[in-house]
């Protein structure tokens, strides 16, 4: 079966190619047609550098791990042709010690599409058709908007950071960075009944954060944040900036929690590690998700959140390179979506 796929062939080089699916669907897999995919910061790092977080791609690859799709061939699974499913990209083994504890994000034999961390690499979702494990396909109510359902994976990541920080009703939370992950962390924390405030250097995204659940926002470099010193029970760092991490150490209260949601990028900027000791701050990493994927799907399908506000732009699959460049140019406030050609 021939289909259209986008392939990252080198740094800042994406080609649209004709690819082939096998004549038969492998056992335990479902054949799917892409409904909607969305771009992640990880995809952007691969696009810019052909690598991410020290992992170098060894060959051309279809990026993308945030998507939903419709069933083409259920292959004896309890699914119907044409049914929309959310896609959990974590292909876990189910047998290792971490899987036994429910920590599938830390599976020692995990496979992940569109990533250099899995060797041989597995093509991601930026392609028209693909086969994917049945257990990774989650059914959703009829009428679910696929443009909203593609938020399930990144929302699950943000949900995990909120759960790692033990955020609940009345928790005072600050989220540093209002990029897509920060905005979804706002949604996640607000859904738990927390009091959510945000910081960012861009006034427009601070305003957007307030539209989707933050009660107040501050523009770094413009607003005076001195009064916010040690003001928050939990700070979720969602920018990946060491400057924001230092800011988070100022904002979190003594014996508070600082959760790292976005991977802090290498920099010559010194990090004020002494603040962790002086304030007895608990610093925790938040990597992918576990039970939160189902939690995120339920929040998306509840229609309690207007995800249209978080859609920055839509591109056809054939313009994947343009979509990635648009993201690289910093023009997107929210998520950039990819749609297959009609």
């Amino acid at each position: 079966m021939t289909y259209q796929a986008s392939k990252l062939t080198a740094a800042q080089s994406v080609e649209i190619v004709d690819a082939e699916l096998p004549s038969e669907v492998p056992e335990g897999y479902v054949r799917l047609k892409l409904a909607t995919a969305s771009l992640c910061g990880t995809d952007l790092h691969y696009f810019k550098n052909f690598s991410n977080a020290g992992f170098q791609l060894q060959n051309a690859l279809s990026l993308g791990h945030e998507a939903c799709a419709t069933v083409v061939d259920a292959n004896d699974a309890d699914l119907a042709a044409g049914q929309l499913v959310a896609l959990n990209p974590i292909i876990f083994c189910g047998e290792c010690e971490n899987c036994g504890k429910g920590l599938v994000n830390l599976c020692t034999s995990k496979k992940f599409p569109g990533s250099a961390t899995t060797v041989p690499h597995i093509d991601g979702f930026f392609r028209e058709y693909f086969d994917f494990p049945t257990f990774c396909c989650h059914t959703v109510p009829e009428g679910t908007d696929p443009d909203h359902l593609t938020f399930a994976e990144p929302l699950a990541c943000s949900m995990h950071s909120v759960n790692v920080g033990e955020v609940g009703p009345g928790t005072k939370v600050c989220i540093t960075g209002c990029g897509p992950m920060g905005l979804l962390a706002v949604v996640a924390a607000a859904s738990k009944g927390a009091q959510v405030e945000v910081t960012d250097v861009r006034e427009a995204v601070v305003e957007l954060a307030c539209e989707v659940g933050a009660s107040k926002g501050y523009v770094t470099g413009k607003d005076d944040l001195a009064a916010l010193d040690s003001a928050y029970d939990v700070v979720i760092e969602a920018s990946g900036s060491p400057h924001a991490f230092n800011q988070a150490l100022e904002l979190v209260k003594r014996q508070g929690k600082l959760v790292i949601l976005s991977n802090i990028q290498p920099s010559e900027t010194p990090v004020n590690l002494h603040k962790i000791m002086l304030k007895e701050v608990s610093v925790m990493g938040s990597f992918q998700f576990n039970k939160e994927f189902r939690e995120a799907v339920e929040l998306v399908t509840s229609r309690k959140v207007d995800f249209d506000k978080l859609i920055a732009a839509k591109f056809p699959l054939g313009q994947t390179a343009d979509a990635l460049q648009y993201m690289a140019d910093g023009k997107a406030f929210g998520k950039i979506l990819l749609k297959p050609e009609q």
Side-chain angles (χ1 to χ4, degrees), residues 71-244:
V71 176
V72 175
D73 184 345
N75 197 27
D76 296 327
D78 187 20
L79 296 168
Q83 187 172 9
L84 180 67
V85 292
L87 299 177
N88 183 338
I90 298 177
I91 307 172
F92 57 89
C93 73
E95 299 176 355
C96 70
E97 181 179 356
N98 288 331
C99 283
K101 296 177 181 178
L103 305 176
V104 300
N105 62 328
L106 302 178
C107 171
T108 56
S109 300
K110 178 178 65 178
K111 297 179 180 179
F112 200 82
S115 170
T117 58
T118 298
V119 180
H121 307 328
I122 300 171
D123 278 320
F125 300 141
F126 294 171
R127 47 191 177 135
E128 190 179 10
Y129 291 92
F130 46 87
D131 298 333
F132 211 64
T134 303
F135 74 85
C136 293
C137 300
H138 294 247
T139 58
V140 296
E142 187 174 351
T144 299
D145 188 335
D147 289 358
H148 296 174
L149 191 58
T150 194
F151 281 86
E153 196 276 347
L155 178 59
C157 293
S158 294
M159 283 280 190
H160 187 57
S161 72
V162 165
N163 288 341
V164 165
E166 299 181 316
V167 171
T171 305
K172 191 170 183 181
V173 178
C174 185
I175 295 163
T176 55
C178 297
M181 295 309 298
L183 291 169
L184 290 172
V186 171
V187 170
S191 76
K192 300 285 188 178
Q195 177 186 340
V196 187
E197 298 182 356
V198 300
T199 68
D200 198 285
V201 296
R202 302 162 297 174
E203 187 170 0
V205 290
V206 167
E207 292 174 356
L208 180 55
C210 292
E211 291 182 27
V212 297
S215 60
K216 195 168 185 180
Y218 301 90
V219 180
T220 303
K222 178 182 177 182
D223 296 326
D224 183 6
L225 305 185
L228 302 179
D229 182 74
S230 303
Y232 299 95
D233 303 311
V234 179
V235 178
I236 297 174
E237 207 306 283
S239 74
S241 164
H243 295 285

Side-chain angles (χ1 to χ4, degrees), residues 174-177 199 201 220 225-226 228-232 235-253 257-279 281 283:
C174 185
I175 295 163
T176 55
T199 68
V201 296
T220 303
L225 305 185
L228 302 179
D229 182 74
S230 303
Y232 299 95
V235 178
I236 297 174
E237 207 306 283
S239 74
S241 164
H243 295 285
F245 183 80
N246 285 335
Q247 182 187 68
L249 287 170
E250 298 291 337
L251 297 174
V252 68
K253 72 177 187 180
K257 296 181 177 69
L258 197 169
V259 183
I260 302 172
L261 171 58
S262 295
N263 197 13
I264 297 176
Q265 298 302 309
S267 168
E268 295 181 359
T269 301
V271 175
N272 299 329
L273 296 176
H274 64 286
K275 290 283 187 177
I276 298 172
M277 181 273 290
L278 292 174
K279 298 177 77 171
V281 176
V283 179

Side-chain angles (χ1 to χ4, degrees), residues 1-6 19-22 30-35 62 69-73 123-132 317 340-341:
M1 178 181 181
T2 303
Y3 65 95
Q4 186 185 67
S6 69
E20 290 284 339
L21 281 175
V30 179
R31 181 151 293 174
L32 302 163
K33 184 179 189 300
L34 177 67
S62 292
T70 54
V71 176
V72 175
D73 184 345
D123 278 320
F125 300 141
F126 294 171
R127 47 191 177 135
E128 190 179 10
Y129 291 92
F130 46 87
D131 298 333
F132 211 64
L317 183 62
E341 310 289 347

